[in-house]
């Protein structure tokens, strides 16, 4: 211990999970796991644009231009050192929550927040629209990761309660917009992060089972279109074809196209039909 450098001794005494690297050592690191996310996003985006190109080539060209801009933004986000980004995680989360609250304020002028089909999800930025829930997803992951990195309580069943409560705040605001599909992403993300951080699987499994058990109780408070989607999905699973021409059309088409195209697809043949 006498030979240990002062810097290493300080971080070890502070309980940080560190190998002696200073938190201020480097604010930019080019080779890091974030590029895996960038690569995955690029692959899925190109795959989607190829699919669009089979039916609407001009739209595919437009999406490709957007993708180039998005990749520049992704590269800017991926290069800073994670410890440098961690310093701003909770500030970004508070800003995201503030934006989620802002879109729900009813007296905000429609020129800034314009409801679309009854949903208040976008802020008019002039050149484009900002969807706060998209920012909230990133901010949420950063905040939860920062919390899990500096705490050990999540290794107990009781310690899982605070991360769950922190998750319910953005979930509730996104549900209020309403945006059920987006809101449902938060809990699976939390469970994946808890498992990666070292939470006990039996505790996570228990929370998931309890959550799935009480989930049907939320059905009465859902909006009519949300209930219709659930009803259509259940009907489709039971072989009932009543909703295939309306609310169940998209799910039915997805099953048909996947079954017909299999792994390599059929090009434009299905579109022609």
């Amino acid at each position: 211990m006498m030979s240990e450098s002062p810097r290493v001794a300080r971080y070890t005494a502070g309980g940080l999970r560190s190998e002696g690297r200073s938190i201020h050592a480097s604010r930019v690191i080019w080779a890091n796991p974030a590029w895996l996310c960038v690569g995955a996003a690029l692959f899925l985006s190109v795959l989607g644009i190829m699919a669009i190109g089979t039916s609407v080539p001009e739209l595919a060209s437009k999406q490709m231009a957007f993708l180039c801009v998005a990749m520049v933004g992704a590269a800017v986000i991926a290069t800073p050192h994670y410890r440098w980004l961690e310093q701003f995680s909770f500030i970004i989360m508070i800003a995201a929550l503030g934006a989620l609250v802002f879109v729900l304020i009813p007296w905000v002028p429609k020129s800034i927040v314009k409801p679309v089909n009854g949903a208040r999800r976008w802020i008019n930025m002039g050149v484009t629209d900002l969807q706060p829930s998209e920012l909230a997803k990133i901010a949420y992951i950063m905040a939860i990761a920062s919390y899990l990195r500096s705490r050990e309580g999540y290794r107990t069943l009781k310690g899982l309660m605070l991360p769950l409560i922190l998750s319910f705040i953005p979930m509730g605001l996104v549900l209020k917009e309403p945006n059920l599909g987006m809101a449902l992403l938060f809990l699976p993300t939390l469970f994946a992060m808890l498992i990666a951080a070292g939470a006990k699987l039996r505790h996570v499994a228990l929370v998931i089972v309890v959550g799935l058990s009480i989930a049907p109780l939320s059905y009465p408070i859902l909006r009519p279109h949300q209930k219709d989607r659930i009803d259509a999905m259940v009907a489709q699973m039971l072989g009932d074809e009543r909703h295939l021409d309306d609310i169940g059309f998209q799910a039915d088409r997805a099953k048909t196209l996947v079954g017909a195209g299999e792994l390599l697809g059929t090009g434009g043949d299905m579109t022609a039909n």
Side-chain angles (χ1 to χ4, degrees):
M1 291 297 294
M2 294 300 294
S3 61
E4 188 176 32
S5 69
R7 183 194 301 175
V8 175
R10 269 202 311 273
Y11 284 105
T12 303
L16 293 175
R17 300 171 189 173
S18 173
E19 297 178 356
R21 295 170 59 187
S22 170
I23 194 170
H24 303 294
S26 175
R27 294 188 176 184
V28 174
I29 179 168
W30 296 103
N32 65 75
W35 289 102
L36 295 175
C37 296
V38 176
L42 177 61
F43 172 76
L44 292 174
S45 298
V46 171
L47 191 64
I49 292 174
M50 291 173 61
I52 294 173
T54 61
S55 55
V56 191
E58 59 276 12
L59 180 57
S61 301
K62 183 177 180 181
Q63 293 297 321
M64 183 60 72
F66 288 151
L67 178 60
C68 293
V69 176
M71 285 298 103
V72 173
V76 171
I77 296 298
T79 50
H81 196 287
Y82 73 91
R83 290 182 179 176
W84 183 77
L85 289 174
E86 184 182 4
Q87 301 175 59
F88 304 97
S89 59
F90 287 103
I91 296 176
I92 296 174
M93 187 64 199
I94 292 173
L97 292 176
L100 288 174
V101 172
F102 181 77
V103 297
L104 296 177
I105 299 176
W107 57 81
V108 173
K110 291 185 178 181
S111 60
I112 300 177
V113 178
K114 182 179 180 180
V116 178
N117 296 327
R120 302 177 63 89
R121 302 178 188 174
W122 299 273
I123 300 175
N124 182 7
M125 305 296 290
V127 295
T128 186
D129 290 336
L130 171 66
Q131 188 172 357
S133 55
E134 293 289 350
L135 174 62
K137 289 191 300 184
I138 300 172
Y140 169 78
I141 292 173
M142 292 176 61
I144 292 296
S146 180
Y147 172 83
L148 295 178
R149 184 175 180 272
S150 59
R151 300 289 191 278
E152 295 289 341
Y154 61 86
R155 297 180 186 276
T156 66
L157 184 59
K158 182 179 179 181
L160 295 180
M161 295 301 104
L162 183 55
L164 280 171
I165 293 173
L166 293 175
S167 303
F168 290 147
I169 296 174
M171 278 185 64
L173 292 173
V174 173
L175 277 172
K176 187 65 177 176
E177 292 179 348
N179 193 342
L180 179 61
M182 182 76 74
L184 292 177
L185 295 176
F186 286 91
L187 288 182
T189 300
L190 173 65
F191 296 143
M193 295 180 71
L194 286 171
I195 293 172
K200 294 182 179 179
L201 292 179
R202 64 176 182 272
H203 293 163
V204 176
L206 178 61
V207 172
I208 293 175
V209 170
V210 172
L212 291 177
S213 300
I214 64 176
L217 298 178
S218 64
Y219 183 84
I221 65 175
L222 295 177
R223 293 174 179 264
H225 72 277
Q226 296 169 342
K227 293 180 180 180
D228 289 341
R229 290 179 181 178
I230 294 175
D231 293 342
M233 180 180 65
V234 173
Q236 188 176 22
M237 293 172 61
L238 297 177
D240 188 340
E241 300 182 354
R242 286 179 300 167
H243 304 286
L244 295 187
D245 293 329
D246 42 69
I247 192 66
F249 179 80
Q250 186 175 5
D252 179 66
R253 286 289 86 190
K255 288 178 59 178
T256 302
L257 292 172
V258 170
E262 297 181 343
L263 182 61
L264 300 178
T266 60
D269 293 344
M270 290 296 295
T271 306
N273 294 332

